[in-house]
Amino acid sequence: MADRKPIESWLTDMDGVLIHEGVPIPGADAFIKRLRESGKPFLVLTNNSIYTPRDLHARLRRMGLEVPIESIWTSALATAKFLDDQRPGGSAYVIGEAGLTTALHDIGYILTDHEPDYVVLGETRTYSFEAMTKAVRLINAGARFICTNPDETGPSTEGPLPATGAVAALITKATGKQPYFAGKPNPLMMRTGLNAIGAHSESSAMIGDRMDTDVLAGIEAGMQTFLVLTGLTRPEQVENFPYRPSKVVDSIADLVERV
């Protein structure tokens, strides 16, 4: 393997890497503390579009993890950035929560169900048949279909929940239109995140717990990748994929000394 530049900036997934079901993973506090003390730019990423960065900052703080608001990058922010580049000042019919609607408001988008430029589907705990029907009709009438992320299920204390990717499949089946996914594994999310902190992929690393989203997005964005085994991917599953992370470690605690 060719020598890589020293890591000067870090991107890390949140669920499965820093926290698990609302509890910090051992070593997460030390890792974040080391990052902040180092002065190196970093981002905590999540495909979950429900919460705003301010919401997530408060939730992480309650768990003892002090992550600045400007160091949080969500699929909702990546989606808004993409739409602002594609069609500034546009309009959208949105299925989602405050994280997504706030991000679109902040770029000057009009949220409407009257001839919108886009139908934007994000995460919500209350997907309604009425909203999905409206989305299908608007897409059939010419609105472009955008999704924050392709995750088909999400975690809960009771077990997996249907997520954005599953609802997107329903809408696709009804319209024949495939959505554009802005979140991981789309490397767009990583590149826009790197741009937001003034970092370069050649000297950046991505930490994640999923081979199919975190590691894949990091590889495609040109970064070093670290897979932690505290989330969804098990050690024996790594060889099932046609690509590999730069390194597999047990947990985020093993990376504190790398910062």
Side-chain angles (χ1 to χ4, degrees):
M1 181 182 294
D3 290 339
R4 296 292 302 251
K5 293 183 177 179
I7 299 171
E8 297 297 338
S9 55
W10 292 83
L11 276 63
T12 176
D13 188 39
M14 186 170 67
D15 295 304
V17 178
L18 300 179
I19 62 174
H20 178 68
E21 293 183 356
V23 178
I25 289 171
D29 54 347
F31 183 78
I32 295 297
K33 184 172 185 288
R34 178 68 69 91
L35 276 176
R36 298 191 68 192
E37 290 173 347
S38 74
K40 293 178 180 178
F42 73 95
L43 284 178
V44 172
L45 288 83
T46 177
N47 255 0
N48 190 318
S49 63
I50 290 178
Y51 304 107
T52 67
R54 186 175 288 107
D55 296 333
L56 291 172
H57 165 77
R59 289 164 64 88
L60 290 168
R61 172 179 271 181
R62 286 196 297 272
M63 299 178 207
L65 302 178
E66 192 61 47
V67 180
I69 293 172
E70 61 272 16
S71 296
I72 297 173
W73 192 248
T74 70
S75 64
L77 293 176
T79 300
K81 173 63 176 160
F82 171 75
L83 292 180
D84 194 32
D85 289 341
Q86 289 281 304
R87 189 177 291 263
S91 60
Y93 174 67
V94 178
I95 299 176
E97 302 285 348
L100 182 55
T101 56
T102 299
L104 293 176
H105 272 303
D106 287 348
I107 62 166
Y109 255 54
I110 297 169
L111 306 189
T112 179
D113 60 1
H114 179 68
E115 298 182 354
D117 298 315
Y118 299 96
V119 166
V120 183
L121 174 66
E123 207 74 51
T124 174
R125 294 287 185 259
T126 56
Y127 288 114
S128 77
F129 186 76
E130 180 184 359
M132 287 186 280
T133 300
K134 185 170 289 187
V136 166
R137 291 172 178 168
L138 290 171
I139 291 167
N140 283 335
R144 301 151 189 86
F145 188 18
I146 303 290
C147 288
T148 56
N149 61 292
D151 301 60
E152 295 168 350
T153 60
S156 78
T157 53
E158 295 81 24
L161 295 171
T164 310
V167 178
L170 183 155
I171 294 174
T172 291
K173 197 71 173 177
T175 61
K177 301 289 179 62
Q178 295 284 345
Y180 180 81
F181 293 104
K184 298 176 294 180
N186 189 343
L188 174 81
M189 182 171 176
M190 324 299 274
R191 290 177 182 140
T192 53
L194 290 172
N195 289 340
I197 59 174
H200 195 282
S201 60
E202 287 186 357
S203 56
S204 299
M206 173 65 196
I207 310 166
D209 70 308
R210 292 185 60 157
M211 287 289 291
D212 57 345
T213 56
D214 305 319
V215 171
L216 179 57
I219 289 172
E220 292 190 347
M223 294 188 285
Q224 293 188 57
T225 54
F226 293 89
L227 177 73
V228 297
L229 301 176
T230 48
L232 290 177
T233 304
R234 308 312 319 146
E236 63 274 12
Q237 294 174 318
V238 175
E239 294 300 329
N240 295 339
F241 294 86
Y243 48 85
R244 291 184 57 83
S246 306
K247 190 173 180 60
V248 179
V249 297
D250 288 333
S251 77
I252 192 71
D254 298 305
L255 296 175
V256 174
E257 297 302 320
R258 295 290 300 262
V259 176

